[in-house]
Amino acid sequence: MPADQPVALILLNMGGPDSLAAVEPFLFNLFADRELIQLPAGGLLQKPFARLISHFRAKKVVENYRQIGGRSPLLEWTNKQAVGIAERLGERFRPYVIMRYWQPRAEQVLADIKAAGIQTAVVVSLYPHYTGATTGSSVNDFKKAAAAVHPELEYRLIEEWYDWPGYLDALANRVNEGLDAFHDLLRDEVQILFSAHALPQKFIDRGDPYQQHVEATVEQVMERVGYYDWSIAYQSRSGPVKWMEPGTEETIAQLAAAGHRALLMVPVSFVSDHIETLQEIDIEYRELAVRQGIVNFQRAPSLNDHADFLDAMAALVREHLRR
């Protein structure tokens, strides 16, 4: 990349509704993605299916968003991450964010980049662990839009970084911050539960490395943290398909049944707060844990815009630019 030319730093993420009214159209965009949900009948029924299921799911999901303030904070956090990483890379890097299922979408952002006269970009998936359902879909969406809107753009892709040392260090720091929330007399008893977003088992069976990546991340984080007992589970499972196991709800119940009373949950496949940390973990899983007898429940802070995480991502970009 020419040293005197501006570079777009583009972060790819899932997106989330920015109001309660946006929940149903957001869900439609999600369920209409054939890289995420593949109906046996092919693409013909995808949009009718997406309209139907988003309509019926919206009522419950609206209430979940209402519990966390009526909108997703994902865009706010992703913008902060983009700005923070770009600042660390130098003034020629210009921050941009593309969301897969809500605004700002790829076509809009690429048009802005083209209008700004920017001809080179670094594109970073904010999913550390690769699966075609998340990183694959977001990258394909970006490539399609780039070819249509800004075909002159030269870009480099960073699609997975589950074992990047700076990321592991930052996540280990969040785990230690979560442990610090327990009384000193309880710390030796704390069970650490890493919770990642579940995928339908068929994604793993077809060869997606997602589960291997999650397990490698957790093992290397715990090498940094130390001697605590830990386990991995998968959250956000819904619908009549076979999902990755074990489920987070079942694992919480099993830990409680085994007599454990202190639990630290660590969101591992998410790099910022959103509905699955703020509502699913902080409200639903906390209530479940208390009902099961776990009286000391904490969640490790999300990476969000912590300086060590932004330092790590800037270093990751520099490393890829050197190759």
Side-chain angles (χ1 to χ4, degrees), residues 9 78-89 95 305 310-311 314:
L9 171 72
T78 309
N79 278 329
K80 288 180 177 180
Q81 290 165 342
V83 169
I85 296 167
E87 287 176 346
R88 286 161 169 79
L89 291 171
D305 63 345
L310 300 184
D311 289 344

Side-chain angles (χ1 to χ4, degrees), residues 164-176:
W164 180 243
Y167 160 63
L168 300 171
D169 291 342
L171 190 52
N173 289 341
R174 302 294 84 73
V175 174
N176 284 320

Side-chain angles (χ1 to χ4, degrees), residues 133-298:
T134 54
T135 297
S137 179
S138 290
V139 167
N140 288 340
D141 177 62
F142 170 81
K143 288 180 176 179
K144 181 179 177 181
V149 176
H150 194 359
E152 306 83 9
L153 185 69
E154 297 182 7
Y155 56 86
R156 298 190 186 184
L157 288 167
I158 302 176
E159 299 186 54
E160 60 186 56
W161 34 278
Y162 67 96
D163 58 351
W164 180 243
Y167 160 63
L168 300 171
D169 291 342
L171 190 52
N173 289 341
R174 302 294 84 73
V175 174
N176 284 320
E177 288 172 9
L179 290 167
D180 287 342
F182 291 89
H183 191 282
D184 289 347
L185 295 177
L186 284 174
R187 283 194 56 153
D188 289 347
E189 303 175 23
V190 174
Q191 298 287 310
I192 301 177
L193 176 56
F194 291 86
S195 190
H197 196 292
L199 291 175
Q201 183 61 37
K202 67 179 181 180
F203 284 88
I204 306 304
D205 294 342
R206 76 184 185 186
D208 268 24
Y210 177 79
Q211 187 169 8
Q212 296 172 7
H213 286 180
V214 169
E215 292 172 354
T217 290
V218 172
E219 288 170 1
Q220 292 179 66
V221 165
M222 289 309 300
E223 288 175 2
R224 290 160 165 80
V225 171
Y227 59 87
Y228 291 88
D229 290 333
W230 58 271
S231 52
I232 303 172
Y234 297 91
Q235 69 182 83
S236 310
R237 305 187 304 169
S238 63
V241 299
K242 180 174 174 55
W243 290 88
M244 298 173 65
E245 295 180 341
T248 300
E249 299 95 327
E250 294 87 345
T251 302
I252 291 172
Q254 289 166 5
L255 290 170
H260 300 295
R261 295 295 177 262
L263 177 65
L264 174 64
M265 289 201 61
V266 182
V268 64
S269 57
F270 318 114
V271 298
S272 52
D273 279 320
H274 62 308
I275 190 75
E276 287 162 353
T277 60
L278 300 175
Q279 194 278 330
E280 193 168 15
I281 295 179
D282 290 356
I283 298 175
E284 290 187 23
Y285 293 162
R286 179 184 296 276
E287 292 174 353
L288 171 64
V290 170
R291 288 198 306 269
Q292 298 285 342
I294 295 174
V295 294
N296 296 283
F297 178 99
Q298 300 289 341

Side-chain angles (χ1 to χ4, degrees), residues 41-107:
L44 187 62
L45 297 179
Q46 192 81 28
K47 288 188 176 180
F49 163 81
R51 287 193 188 92
L52 184 67
I53 194 143
S54 60
H55 177 73
F56 283 105
R57 289 274 186 94
K59 185 175 181 180
K60 180 180 186 298
V61 177
V62 162
E63 292 309 310
N64 291 345
Y65 276 103
R66 198 187 304 278
Q67 292 180 30
I68 64 168
R71 64 180 181 86
S72 171
L74 192 60
L75 178 58
E76 177 184 352
W77 284 122
T78 309
N79 278 329
K80 288 180 177 180
Q81 290 165 342
V83 169
I85 296 167
E87 287 176 346
R88 286 161 169 79
L89 291 171
E91 61 183 22
R92 73 189 184 107
F93 286 84
R94 314 287 172 79
Y96 293 90
V97 169
I98 291 176
M99 295 300 191
R100 179 67 181 93
Y101 303 115
W102 203 241
Q103 308 300 330
R105 303 297 295 273
E107 294 83 359

